[in-house]
Amino acid sequence: MRVRLTPGAASDRIDGRARDDKGVLLKARVRAAPEDGKANAALIALIAKAFGVAKSKVSVTRGHTARLKTLEIEGASDAEVATFTAHQKET
């Protein structure tokens, strides 16, 4: 799952989906600052809650220090991730 993360927001939330030259991505905002992995941890908690899985099942596989991240959700199929993303409002 590809995610564009905005740290330092007013609240933790999924803002919808967007498209770029590589396809569809999820847009998310978290209150945590982008320091010492705090924003990544907040993103993992947000995605875990949205998917109804433990935080330990979600990991950042690419983009640890970048705004654009790739996440892996253990136990979630590509079809489940695609369906979840498709149900988000395109912005």
Side-chain angles (χ1 to χ4, degrees):
M1 167 185 280
R2 294 175 55 237
V3 180
R4 185 172 66 211
L5 179 63
T6 303
S11 64
D12 293 350
R13 67 179 183 269
I14 295 173
D15 269 350
R17 61 184 163 97
R19 293 186 181 273
D20 66 5
D21 58 336
K22 294 182 182 177
V24 177
L25 56 91
L26 200 62
K27 293 169 49 179
R29 296 177 180 270
V30 295
R31 290 184 300 251
E35 57 187 30
D36 300 324
K38 292 176 185 173
N40 287 344
L43 175 62
I44 287 169
L46 179 66
I47 296 299
K49 183 176 179 181
F51 271 82
V53 299
K55 291 184 280 188
S56 62
K57 302 288 184 185
V58 181
S59 60
V60 177
T61 57
R62 296 180 105 189
H64 292 276
T65 59
R67 187 173 178 188
L68 186 60
K69 303 180 182 301
T70 302
L71 303 180
E72 183 177 319
I73 304 167
E74 187 180 323
S77 69
D78 290 343
E80 290 171 318
V81 171
T83 299
F84 177 83
T85 303
H87 282 96
Q88 302 303 315
K89 181 180 170 187
E90 189 157 355
T91 57

